[in-house]
Amino acid sequence: MDPEQVDEFVMGYLKKKGFNNAAKQLQEALHHNNGGTFNSTDYHNDPELTKLIRSFSQSENDPTRYRDGYSKLRSWAYNSLDLYKHELLRVMYPVFIHCYMDLVGKGHTREARAFFNSFRKDHEMIHLRDLQKLEGVLVPSHLEEMEFARSLRQSKVNIKICQYSYDLLLQYLHRTESTLMLGIINEHINFQVYSGQPNSSSDDIDAVTIVGSFQETADHINQKEIQWGLLEDSLEDRLEKTGSLLSDSEKGQGESKDGDVDDSKKRSNEIGKQGSSLKKLKKDKAGNATAKVARQETSIVSPAPRVKPELALPVMSTDVEESILEDLRNRVQLSSVAMPSVSFYTFVNTHNGLNCASISHDGSLVAGGFSDSSIKVWDMAKIGQAGSGALQGESDTNDQNVGPNGRRNYTLLLGHSGPVYSATFSPPGDFVLSSSADTTIRLWSTQLNANLVCYKGHNYPVWDVQFSPFGHYFASCSHDRTARIWSMDRVQPLRIMAGHLSDVDCVQWHPNCNYIATGSSDKTVRLWDVQTGECVRIFIGHRSMVLSLAMSPDGRYMASGDEDGTIMMWDLSTARCITPLMGHNSCVWSLSYSGEGSLLASGSADCTVKLWDVTSSTKLTKAEEKNGNSNRLRSLRTFPTKSTPVHALRFSRRNLLFAAGALSKPAS
């Protein structure tokens, strides 16, 4: 390759990459020189640079160089020292996807498929869903037409890496003259280099994040002001002002305490399964020292500000109001030293047909949604009378489903024409909402045992539906990538929230009813203003689809659980992740905060319920956050089931913890 050919290649390369001014200046310089020698900036005078240009020009259209370059980089990363390996392996996934998309973009479809299939197993554990989407990118036009591929091409990936790991990577790329890999890394990865030893692979949730246009959009949205406080003149407000809530919860002994235990015993008899759980609660309440510690932990938190409702809230009946006030007065104070037991409702003989479960606010009703399009509601008082502790999910002909009086132990609700994916009770327990693959939401009366309304608006399966904390309004989310706000008295949605890039899998109301949060398969959580329908927060950090959400009782924090088993706690005002809670090894299907907000319960497909100390997690100093202190990940207790994935969790207003799930196989 003579100098003229090198000049020609450099000129063509500059034009191809859009550096027209540089190409023009080079052409003028070549013209003025008339083929003579350049000055000190002449690239012909640098033999290494000339060699590099020649090798690059020869391989510009050779598809095999992607496989060779990636394969060598992969082998080097996997053979690195264990101390640095996990940081160097973070680089491999963005390099892999951009190698694949480069091959597709240049029309090397066959080579692209071979490359993809050869190395996809390296990334399936963490990025399976992204790889499934990427498989659909087959021709150059897909890179522009498919939103997922376009966003990947336009965004950069932030990778946190220590100085020594970064130096090792650069040395390797320069030593082996891996110009192709170096180009991809320069174009698509933004390194955040820090000094010191590398962090462990598990405790740094910000190690890999997306930057670029999407991150800029999120940063802009997250600057909006939100009113995260609680509603004025709420029932909790009234109790705090009169002092009833404080005085009752702080009494370690006396008449009110005895009344509390008596009331708990009464509840235990009603639902048939609470005896063992209340023994633990009774024991925790008995000691004055324990009560003092609990008071100290809960009194540190500053009171939440009060805001006005944006929705016209329904008027609560006197009976319901009195019932809620009584529950709040008799609430058991929980903390890291005063923890609840779990009352677990187990569905048996469901034959893998149970898709969802829901528990009413007092634990007296349990609903299950099934693949055969049915909903079944169990009354715990009747179950207790029948002497059966398990919830049968088989057909009505099963003798175990029939009580002593010849009737079923549950109420069967039929109306959907597809699998039921979500069911939720209204706050008083008089209604049930269900959503289904048939694209509809149905409202059922638990008193009439009948379907009252069918709401149609979504165009695809509806994954989740949730009543607002005050009833009347509810929110739904769907495969159509939207969430919608409804009211019980209208068949059309009041608001449509659009913005997620994939399925919206779960939805949760803020305690003040002014916002809803949505979790999506696009790995983000969004907070929406109910009145305007605008997105006011985007939370970025999950590595897989978000399956569950919970709001703290004071409205200050939010927890989200994903498919990998990671739970993240967010500060709503700053959109910042306070701490990741890691301990589950499968999907987190359900989350619930205790009444005073000191504990978070999580239920997972790994057949465990975990309790987390929220107060210690939210009281980190800036120095601890900067150093990535692993003590923040404080799991207080794990409750394993025999073989029952946990579908639903709920803290009652009195701070009893209820859970439900389907036995996946007979216990040995």
Side-chain angles (χ1 to χ4, degrees):
M1 194 173 186
D2 56 32
E4 286 78 11
Q5 287 177 307
V6 173
D7 292 338
E8 190 178 331
F9 172 75
V10 172
M11 184 76 69
Y13 182 81
L14 291 172
K15 287 180 179 177
K16 180 181 176 183
K17 295 296 182 182
F19 301 119
N20 295 323
N21 288 337
K24 187 178 179 182
Q25 289 175 13
L26 177 62
Q27 193 168 19
E28 288 174 359
L30 289 171
H31 180 71
H32 290 313
N33 264 282
N34 294 321
T37 57
F38 269 142
N39 56 20
S40 59
T41 59
D42 183 6
Y43 48 78
H44 293 300
N45 294 335
D46 187 340
E48 287 297 318
L49 186 58
T50 307
K51 181 182 173 185
L52 202 62
I53 291 171
R54 285 174 178 170
S55 64
F56 194 69
S57 67
Q58 289 164 0
S59 60
E60 176 74 4
N61 293 313
D62 182 8
T64 59
R65 69 199 179 107
Y66 284 93
R67 175 186 281 272
D68 293 343
Y70 180 82
S71 183
K72 287 175 184 175
L73 179 62
R74 176 180 176 272
S75 298
W76 172 79
Y78 274 103
N79 291 321
S80 300
L81 289 172
D82 288 344
L83 184 61
Y84 307 103
K85 184 193 292 186
H86 71 270
E87 287 200 333
L88 296 170
L89 288 177
R90 289 173 187 163
V91 178
M92 299 311 299
Y93 178 65
V95 172
F96 168 75
I97 59 175
H98 287 292
C99 281
Y100 174 70
M101 287 194 285
D102 276 359
L103 284 167
V104 171
K106 292 179 179 179
H108 303 301
T109 305
R110 188 165 54 83
E111 290 83 356
R113 298 305 303 166
F115 174 83
F116 187 84
N117 292 329
S118 296
F119 301 110
R120 68 174 293 168
K121 286 186 179 178
D122 293 349
H123 312 288
E124 278 184 344
M125 183 175 291
I126 299 176
H127 302 285
L128 179 60
R129 289 186 177 272
D130 286 355
L131 293 176
Q132 288 170 345
K133 293 177 187 175
L134 210 56
E135 269 186 310
V137 180
L138 298 171
V139 294
S141 60
H142 288 173
L143 295 174
E144 287 300 320
E145 292 169 1
M146 292 179 65
E147 194 171 18
F148 175 72
R150 192 171 68 250
S151 65
L152 285 177
R153 294 299 265 180
Q154 292 173 353
S155 301
K156 275 195 170 188
V157 176
N158 250 351
I159 293 183
K160 198 180 283 187
I161 192 169
C162 77
Q163 184 68 53
Y164 191 72
S165 298
Y166 182 69
D167 292 342
L168 282 175
L169 178 63
L170 286 186
Q171 286 171 15
Y172 165 79
L173 293 170
H174 287 299
R175 188 180 71 250
T176 57
E177 296 180 359
S178 304
T179 52
L180 179 63
M181 296 298 107
L182 183 61
I184 289 173
I185 288 170
N186 274 335
E187 191 174 351
H188 299 291
I189 298 177
N190 180 37
F191 287 106
Q192 293 181 328
V193 182
Y194 63 91
S195 57
Q197 291 295 310
N199 293 333
S200 70
S201 56
S202 61
D203 70 352
D204 194 352
I205 206 71
D206 298 320
V208 182
T209 53
I210 297 173
V211 294
S213 57
F214 181 67
Q215 182 70 50
E216 290 167 12
T217 303
D219 290 342
H220 176 70
I221 287 174
N222 291 342
Q223 290 172 5
K224 294 180 181 178
E225 186 179 351
I226 63 167
Q227 303 292 326
W228 54 263
L230 298 182
L231 290 183
E232 296 176 347
D233 200 34
S234 63
L235 293 178
E236 289 88 348
D237 240 1
R238 290 184 219 169
L239 280 175
E240 280 180 21
K241 286 172 184 173
T242 59
S244 303
L245 182 61
L246 191 64
S247 62
D248 279 2
S249 64
E250 288 197 345
K251 286 178 183 174
Q253 56 189 4
E255 291 180 5
S256 95
K257 184 195 138 196
D258 294 336
D260 196 12
V261 175
D262 290 341
D263 191 80
S264 296
K265 285 181 180 176
K266 192 189 298 180
R267 180 175 298 279
S268 172
N269 292 331
E270 283 180 0
I271 61 180
K273 291 188 69 178
Q274 295 309 304
S276 59
S277 67
L278 286 164
K279 282 178 189 173
K280 172 64 179 169
L281 290 170
K282 192 170 153 189
K283 192 191 299 178
D284 285 339
K285 270 192 86 185
N288 284 331
T290 303
K292 283 178 186 174
V293 176
R295 288 200 304 277
Q296 287 170 3
E297 290 202 10
T298 53
S299 62
I300 292 171
V301 182
S302 58
R306 295 303 189 252
V307 299
K308 293 182 178 179
E310 293 181 1
L311 292 173
L313 297 179
V315 178
M316 197 176 293
S317 70
T318 310
D319 292 344
V320 172
E321 194 172 291
E322 282 301 318
S323 171
I324 293 173
L325 285 169
E326 185 184 354
D327 285 341
L328 293 176
R329 286 193 196 98
N330 292 312
R331 175 184 289 165
V332 179
Q333 285 287 45
L334 301 178
S335 70
S336 59
V337 293
M339 289 182 286
S341 296
V342 184
S343 175
F344 202 101
Y345 300 137
T346 304
F347 293 80
V348 297
N349 298 325
T350 60
H351 305 298
N352 296 321
L354 183 75
N355 293 328
C356 62
S358 182
I359 304 160
S360 63
H361 282 259
D362 60 0
S364 61
L365 297 173
V366 179
F370 293 86
S371 295
D372 64 1
S373 74
S374 68
I375 300 149
K376 295 172 184 177
V377 181
W378 284 264
D379 186 327
M380 291 297 105
K382 293 177 182 175
I383 291 257
Q385 291 167 6
S388 169
L391 310 181
Q392 296 289 335
E394 273 196 340
S395 63
D396 302 343
T397 56
N398 191 322
D399 291 339
Q400 290 178 307
N401 280 330
V402 182
N405 55 3
R407 295 182 181 177
R408 291 192 303 264
N409 287 333
Y410 60 82
T411 301
L412 183 65
L413 304 176
L414 295 175
H416 284 295
S417 58
V420 178
Y421 291 125
S422 179
T424 180
F425 286 97
S426 62
D430 49 352
F431 297 107
V432 176
L433 274 170
S434 61
S435 66
S436 167
D438 64 12
T439 76
T440 67
I441 302 159
R442 288 181 180 266
L443 179 70
W444 311 82
S445 167
T446 57
Q447 295 166 343
L448 303 174
N449 297 329
N451 182 216
L452 304 179
V453 191
C454 178
Y455 302 94
K456 297 178 181 178
H458 288 289
N459 301 317
Y460 290 94
V462 185
W463 300 130
D464 194 16
V465 62
Q466 292 292 328
F467 262 113
S468 80
F470 294 89
H472 187 68
Y473 300 100
F474 58 93
S476 62
C477 59
S478 166
H479 177 59
D480 63 15
R481 303 192 291 186
T482 69
R484 302 180 188 221
I485 305 289
W486 311 71
S487 66
M488 287 170 58
D489 57 352
R490 298 190 183 185
V491 294
Q492 296 298 326
L494 306 177
R495 294 285 183 275
I496 298 177
M497 282 75 169
H500 279 293
L501 305 178
S502 188
D503 293 43
V504 187
D505 299 299
C506 54
V507 64
Q508 187 61 253
W509 286 83
H510 191 275
N512 65 23
C513 287
N514 291 341
Y515 305 96
I516 64 164
T518 53
S520 169
S521 295
D522 66 12
K523 306 176 189 175
T524 68
V525 180
R526 291 179 182 240
L527 191 72
W528 308 83
D529 188 309
V530 167
Q531 186 62 36
T532 64
E534 289 183 358
C535 178
V536 292
R537 289 288 182 274
I538 301 179
F539 304 90
I540 301 172
H542 280 286
R543 309 283 180 82
S544 58
M545 60 192 293
V546 182
L547 300 175
S548 54
L549 296 166
M551 293 283 185
S552 65
D554 62 1
R556 191 184 307 244
Y557 304 111
M558 176 179 67
S560 55
D562 66 23
E563 190 181 33
D564 293 339
T566 301
I567 302 164
M568 299 181 76
M569 269 193 62
W570 307 91
D571 185 325
L572 291 186
S573 57
T574 62
R576 186 175 57 86
C577 176
I578 299 169
T579 176
L581 307 173
M582 295 183 178
H584 289 295
N585 52 36
S586 189
C587 311
V588 179
W589 281 340
S590 187
L591 293 166
S592 180
Y593 278 94
S594 60
E596 74 296 315
S598 63
L599 300 180
L600 175 69
S602 59
S604 169
D606 65 9
C607 302
T608 63
V609 173
K610 288 182 181 287
L611 291 175
W612 307 87
D613 185 0
V614 171
T615 47
S616 69
S617 298
T618 54
K619 287 188 293 187
L620 286 178
T621 64
K622 289 185 178 179
E624 285 175 323
E625 288 175 8
K626 195 172 183 181
N627 296 333
N629 188 355
S630 60
N631 290 333
R632 60 189 176 167
L633 312 178
R634 192 174 176 196
S635 175
L636 294 173
R637 180 170 294 183
T638 298
F639 298 91
T641 64
K642 287 184 178 178
S643 185
T644 307
V646 184
H647 279 79
L649 281 175
R650 181 189 289 281
F651 273 101
S652 72
R653 294 190 187 97
R654 300 193 183 201
N655 264 346
L656 299 175
L657 179 55
F658 300 107
L663 191 68
S664 56
K665 59 183 178 181
S668 56

